[in-house]
Amino acid sequence: DAKTTQPNSMESNEEEPVHLPCNHSTISGTDYIHWYRQLPSQGPEYVIHGLTSNVNNRMASLAIAEDRKSSTLILHRATLRDAAVYYCILRPHGTASKLTFGTGTRLQVTL
Amino acid sequence: GAVVSQHPSWVICKSGTSVKIECRSLDFQATTMFWYRQFPKQSLMLMATSNEGSKATYEQGVEKDKFLINHASLTLSTLTVTSAHPEDSSFYICSAQDRGRSNEQYFGPGTRLTVT
């Protein structure tokens, strides 16, 4: 499985934007970049995914580097409810493939 | 959005007994479901892939006779922890794959198992 590298932890102030980086230098051409987050004592929650182009949804934006070797999850205005562990995962397109979770980034949001 | 439920949300059992955990996809059919285990302050680890109507595929190091998986319908998969021991205490999470949404996986809320 292609591997991703994320910082162990990040901090943000409430109401400010947060940029969560992910490196995936061994990504293959068919790998989609998926982001999930896990709030304390809950199952992971799908956030966003993309292949090559930047993506936006109601939760976040995903900026993908032109060479696809890195990506950034952007939370436009962090709230206390965004405090969670964020996982960046590569997944081949179109298959019933499993998700391999790394250690993720623990985001702390303060007032 | 796609909803996956798990039951029970928490369970306490005595050592040596068996515990069944249910995973249901509420608004979509899931031919494939996954079972994960998460120990405190660690990441999720995949235990097995559950396919409707066929045997589950277990990850290396996971005992298939101890963790019995049944996926009898397109909306229900069950995980039975047999002869549970304190070291099986963990957070068990399932996910279901929605073919209608590009095979995206949606996760249940998890089941916390404590074996005394």
Side-chain angles (χ1 to χ4, degrees):
Chain A
D1 294 337
K3 187 176 171 60
T4 63
T5 304
Q6 299 177 252
N8 287 333
S9 64
M10 291 184 66
E11 286 187 22
S12 172
N13 294 323
E14 200 176 21
E15 301 294 316
E16 290 186 357
V18 181
H19 291 229
L20 297 165
C22 181
N23 287 320
H24 30 78
S25 59
T26 58
I27 190 171
S28 74
T30 58
D31 285 339
Y32 273 75
I33 302 160
H34 287 249
W35 284 82
Y36 287 81
R37 71 179 185 181
Q38 185 178 25
L39 279 65
S41 298
Q42 295 187 28
E45 175 187 25
Y46 167 79
V47 178
I48 201 167
H49 77 280
L51 183 62
T52 56
S53 302
N54 294 344
V55 185
N56 300 297
N57 66 21
R58 63 175 181 81
M59 289 181 70
S61 295
L62 176 60
I64 301 173
E66 198 168 333
D67 63 4
R68 299 207 330 123
K69 293 183 185 298
S70 66
S71 61
T72 302
L73 179 70
I74 302 166
L75 305 179
H76 295 284
R77 291 179 67 190
T79 69
L80 295 177
R81 289 183 295 179
D82 291 322
V85 179
Y86 287 79
Y87 296 99
C88 168
I89 302 170
L90 302 182
R91 186 176 181 217
H93 170 60
T95 63
S97 56
K98 56 191 179 185
L99 297 174
T100 301
F101 284 79
T103 53
T105 296
R106 182 173 298 277
L107 175 66
Q108 291 181 295
V109 181
T110 55
L111 292 171
Chain B
V3 179
V4 177
S5 70
Q6 281 185 242
H7 178 80
S9 54
W10 59 270
V11 57
I12 301 172
C13 71
K14 292 187 176 180
S15 189
T17 62
S18 296
V19 174
K20 180 185 284 188
I21 302 170
E22 293 185 350
C23 176
R24 293 181 186 273
S25 56
L26 298 186
D27 54 354
F28 65 98
Q29 293 182 332
T31 53
T32 303
M33 292 183 173
F34 301 87
W35 286 96
Y36 297 81
R37 181 167 54 181
Q38 186 175 33
F39 292 107
K41 298 193 183 300
Q42 294 186 23
S43 189
L44 283 77
M45 291 193 61
L46 180 66
M47 299 175 67
T49 302
S50 169
N51 296 298
E52 187 266 337
S54 64
K55 290 183 179 180
T57 304
Y58 291 81
E59 295 299 301
Q60 193 171 10
V62 178
E63 301 174 57
K64 61 181 179 183
D65 293 330
K66 180 170 182 63
F67 298 100
L68 302 179
I69 291 173
N70 185 280
H71 193 157
S73 80
L74 288 173
T75 59
L76 172 65
S77 176
T78 61
L79 168 69
T80 301
V81 183
T82 63
S83 186
H85 291 283
E87 56 265 32
D88 298 323
S89 298
S90 187
F91 194 47
Y92 291 87
I93 306 167
C94 73
S95 71
Q97 190 159 279
D98 186 355
R99 282 190 173 181
R101 293 185 176 93
S102 302
N103 285 321
E104 198 57 59
Q105 283 190 36
Y106 296 92
F107 287 80
T111 296
R112 187 160 302 282
L113 169 64
T114 302
V115 184
T116 60

